[in-house]
Amino acid sequence: MNRRQFIRLISQGLLGAGLVPRLAFAGQPNEKRPLQFVFAQIKYRGGDWNPHPLSVTPLMEELMARTSVEPATVRHDIMLTDRDLFNYPFLYLTGKYEFEPFSQEEVETLRRFLSYGGFLLIDDALGQQGYGFDKAVRREMQRVFPGNEFKRLPSGHAALRSYYLLRRIGGVRIVSPNLEGINVGNSTPVVYCQNDLGGAWERDQLGKWTNACTPGGEGQRKDAFHLGINLILYAMTENYKEDLIHVPFIRKRLTR
Amino acid sequence: MKDLYLIGAAPGWLIGLISLGAAALLVQQFFALRQRLPLGQTTFLIFLRACVYAVLLFFLFGPALIDKRVSKLRRPLTLLIDSSQSMGFPARAKNTPGDKPGQSRLDLVREKLQGGKDPLIQRLNRDYDLRVISFGTSLDPIAPGGIANLKAQAPGSRLLELVQTAARDGGAQSGIVVFSDGITNGERKSLDGAPPLPVPVFTVGVGESEGFTDVRIAKLGAPEFAFRGREFKIDLTIQASGMKGKSVPLFFNRGKNLITTRTVAIDADSFEQKVTLSFTPKELGTHGFSVSIPAQPGEQITQNNHKDFKVDVQRDKIRVLTLSGSPSWNYRFLRMAMKQDPLIELVSFVFLRTPMDTVDVPESQLSLIPFPIDDIFLEELKNFDVVFFDDFSYRAYFNPVYLERVRDFVRDGGGLAMLGGSRSFDSGGYGDSALREVLPVELDGKGNYQSQTTVSAALSATGKVHPVTRLLPEPKSNEEAWSKLPALTGLNQVRGVRGETLITAGGDGLPTAAPLLVVGRFGKGRTLALLSDDAWRWNFIAVGNRETPQNHLKLVRQAVRWLAQEPSFEQVQLHPIASAQPG
């Protein structure tokens, strides 16, 4: 039971005693509560599409605790050929090893997905530039967006300011201090992290962290959670934090 | 004088014959009567008959009496008397012996025309058909006696233009006599190059041009309308005399609020400078502005130190405010629809955190900004055209009193849209708020939000012809487009509908024809209720189905235009004229 569920339970007890207005928590039972976000992970052929099977739930719990988003606590696994792919505008692609090329249909579907409002977070669990997963990802994204290469995200990018004001990129290991992304128009529908974010999020059944984060330890893990939350909120609000009304506030906080 | 004329009603020969006949008749009657009467009586009777015949003959000559009356015609003469404010200046800068104290230039004109035993105005009135016209910025005829009551208060003097008008429109006349101090602020500075005047013009100058102290706003060029949020400029000309070496402040006000001030340095006795001021209006409507220079020490006339003008501020974009209860895909695609529309200016607030959420870092490491409740609801709301409540409940964030401002905003002509979700309509507590009477659906506090269901959209009869739901111009294609839209998965149920249902929701477990999209009116404003938080599926799922996302984008943009009462989105009805026949 997480904190929010606990508060609901207490409140519903008060509700029975008539101490809280009836509508205050007129929500649905947990299993049918309205979900605003589902973390969907891409299954692909070859390689290892699922290096951290328990990584998503801790991130979703963190998302629920810190933000107003109501996420599903378990992830949804999906293939690019599945008919309901577009029900999940946020996709997560991770792995350690080189995988088989996408079919032409998958490439076109992914291009359509990303061009019309979908978002893809790519996470390299191996962290070897030019080898394994990194090599396969760069090859496939070139097929999805020919001529549109990964570029380093500037420090002022909206994805780094969508909730937390991020100055560092976390993960199990710091292979790169920066994120990369592919820009389409005014947005960045593809963000690539090589620091193994999933490894930092993952917790075993007993609640212990599966992987140690080096060299930054728990601070580095915290950064990984912050980045995960930021990227989810960026996907759902796009360049919201670049609206003029936010600029002076953010600038003031960054200059403190 | 009257004269008698015989104009001859009958020809002369006829009159001669009748005369001879009458004479013969008289002779014959004389002898006939003499046989019966004495000579005296006979002679008397014949005399009477002769008189009768003579009268008859006289009328045959056609007598006519002509009455001749002779009167002397006077030629027109026009007196033009300047009644602009400068004519209220003292007649002379320094009094000389014999001057009346406080005598103005207009007083001097009056004295010349009306003074003395036999005033000039009366002499002119005797000899001419006298027309007296006062002028400032226009010609105003007055009676000759009205000169005594004439006041120098016209706001300017278009001297040369009005002399031309009086000469052109006055017809044949002896001439025009102009009484003026010669100060003009019309467009024309001389008559060089102008067509010659058709009548002689005589000018009588009054007053002196030297030695006066005055600063004035001579000309003002301001637009009649401006766009909200865009700078407009006003051009004015400052003139001054007798103030060399001084500096005067120039104030630019909107109503009583000072916008800006300038200092004008006067560097010549006869000074003129053009000044340009600018302002960016933020509120719609007609606003009163003024430019003014405070009265200066020794200034003879202060009325010309101030000018008022009005500017009608219109919008060039539809300003939309969205309040979203949390980040969501609905917000993501709503934002996409509005941001890509050049006619829409979007200001959005997404509540990224609820009061129940905790953070693990100091506030300074968060990008969250405080929601400016007072600024939005008390100050800025009137500057928006449409407000969206996107799955947003006020309860955790502000007092419901602020919703009364939203109600007033709609009543005064604003647009309000509420999108569904677990924080909207009854689920958001709006059944107990001021928006209950505003929304086009009936709330009773019992309606709930149903998620993970299947909701298909169907156009109602009203929806088929409504501009919000017209995705395609052809009615059949439009219905087909709606039928192809992907199903939604969430629905807010409400007790009933107060407005017009454009789209109904169909699906298992749903009541027949449950409302999905409803529009209504409140006061001068418009309202819209979309009873689902899933409309983004009409966009992105359609893309996945290899259909166009344009239907969703178009729906959002048309809803915004309709709510903002864009003229192009007004519904019109065409009625055939019963009596009209083709051809």
Side-chain angles (χ1 to χ4, degrees), chain B residues 67-94:
Chain B
D67 186 5
K68 292 182 182 173
R69 294 182 186 180
V70 177
S71 60
K72 201 173 177 182
L73 288 176
R74 294 173 302 163
R75 295 204 70 194
L77 176 71
T78 300
L79 295 192
L80 286 182
I81 302 174
D82 188 350
S83 62
S84 63
Q85 290 176 351
S86 65
M87 290 294 283
F89 284 11
R92 291 180 181 83
K94 292 174 186 172

Side-chain angles (χ1 to χ4, degrees), chain A residues 3-4 36 68 87 253, chain B residues 351 356-357 368 423 537:
Chain A
R3 180 186 52 82
R4 190 172 293 184
Q36 291 159 334
S68 55
N87 281 325
R253 286 184 176 171
Chain B
F351 288 78
M356 290 166 63
D357 298 314
L368 281 63
R423 290 169 280 226
R537 290 176 177 272

Side-chain angles (χ1 to χ4, degrees), chain B residues 169-473:
Chain B
D169 300 344
Q173 52 187 330
S174 299
I176 295 174
V177 183
V178 183
F179 292 85
S180 173
D181 59 3
I183 296 177
T184 177
N185 42 21
E187 295 294 324
R188 193 171 268 286
K189 298 296 179 195
S190 85
L191 291 177
D192 292 344
L197 296 171
V199 292
V201 175
F202 307 94
T203 57
V204 181
V206 289
E208 295 175 354
S209 58
E210 300 280 325
F212 282 97
T213 301
D214 184 43
V215 60
R216 59 191 168 274
I217 298 168
K219 268 196 240 174
L220 174 70
E224 290 182 0
F225 68 90
F227 290 117
R228 181 182 59 188
R230 287 201 186 174
E231 185 182 75
F232 72 82
K233 291 183 177 175
I234 61 167
D235 298 311
L236 53 151
T237 304
I238 309 288
Q239 292 178 343
S241 52
M243 295 184 65
K244 184 179 178 182
K246 292 184 179 175
S247 292
V248 294
L250 171 68
F251 298 120
F252 180 26
N253 284 54
R254 193 191 75 174
K256 291 181 179 175
N257 300 324
L258 180 67
I259 297 170
T260 186
T261 181
R262 287 275 182 88
T263 300
V264 180
I266 300 168
D267 56 6
D269 270 333
S270 182
F271 174 81
E272 180 170 306
Q273 182 179 323
K274 290 184 177 172
V275 177
T276 300
L277 300 170
S278 62
F279 179 64
T280 305
K282 291 183 178 172
E283 294 173 19
L284 295 176
T286 303
H287 300 280
F289 295 88
S290 65
V291 282
S292 60
I293 297 170
Q296 299 299 305
E299 198 177 2
Q300 267 90 5
I301 184 165
T302 56
Q303 294 94 321
N304 57 11
N305 291 26
H306 183 101
K307 278 200 190 297
D308 292 316
F309 62 98
K310 288 185 175 176
V311 177
D312 183 20
V313 180
Q314 303 172 356
R315 68 171 166 229
D316 63 338
K317 285 193 172 190
I318 300 173
R319 291 196 78 196
V320 180
L321 169 70
T322 64
L323 302 180
S324 298
S326 75
S328 67
W329 298 120
N330 215 33
Y331 170 74
R332 167 76 174 82
F333 288 92
L334 187 71
R335 179 184 174 87
M336 177 193 283
M338 293 195 201
K339 279 283 183 183
Q340 289 176 357
D341 188 336
L343 191 69
I344 295 175
E345 183 181 334
L346 175 67
V347 175
S348 58
F349 288 93
V350 181
F351 288 78
L352 303 179
R353 201 178 93 188
T354 70
M356 290 166 63
D357 298 314
T358 58
V359 288
D360 53 346
V361 294
E363 290 280 336
S364 61
Q365 293 181 29
L366 294 172
S367 68
L368 281 63
I369 65 170
F371 178 55
I373 302 169
D374 284 346
D375 289 345
I376 289 291
F377 290 109
L378 305 183
E379 298 291 330
E380 293 293 326
L381 194 58
K382 59 181 178 296
N383 295 326
F384 289 97
D385 303 303
V386 182
V387 176
F388 274 71
F389 279 56
D390 166 30
D391 192 14
F392 168 77
S393 175
Y394 65 94
R395 287 185 300 201
Y397 303 103
F398 55 78
N399 191 299
V401 171
Y402 287 103
L403 295 178
E404 293 174 12
R405 295 300 184 117
V406 180
R407 178 194 60 200
D408 297 342
F409 162 76
V410 180
R411 179 183 287 146
D412 295 341
L416 171 69
M418 187 171 280
L419 311 183
S422 59
R423 290 169 280 226
S424 277
F425 299 105
D426 275 326
S427 303
Y430 290 100
D432 300 323
S433 78
L435 295 190
R436 179 178 180 163
E437 60 174 318
V438 180
L439 291 167
V441 291
E442 290 183 15
L443 304 181
D444 58 2
K446 296 175 185 170
N448 63 357
Y449 171 71
Q450 192 176 352
S451 66
Q452 298 173 33
T453 182
T454 301
V455 180
S456 57
L459 274 177
S460 70
T462 311
K464 288 177 185 172
V465 295
H466 200 278
V468 169
T469 40
R470 181 71 63 84
L471 302 179
L472 294 169

Side-chain angles (χ1 to χ4, degrees), chain A residues 43-48 80 93 97-103 106-107 132 136-137 139-140 143:
Chain A
K43 292 192 287 185
Y44 50 79
R45 296 174 299 279
D48 177 10
L80 290 176
L93 176 67
Y97 312 113
E98 194 169 345
F99 53 86
E100 290 180 22
F102 294 149
S103 68
E106 287 171 324
V107 167
V137 157
R139 180 194 68 215
E140 293 309 305
R143 293 177 63 205

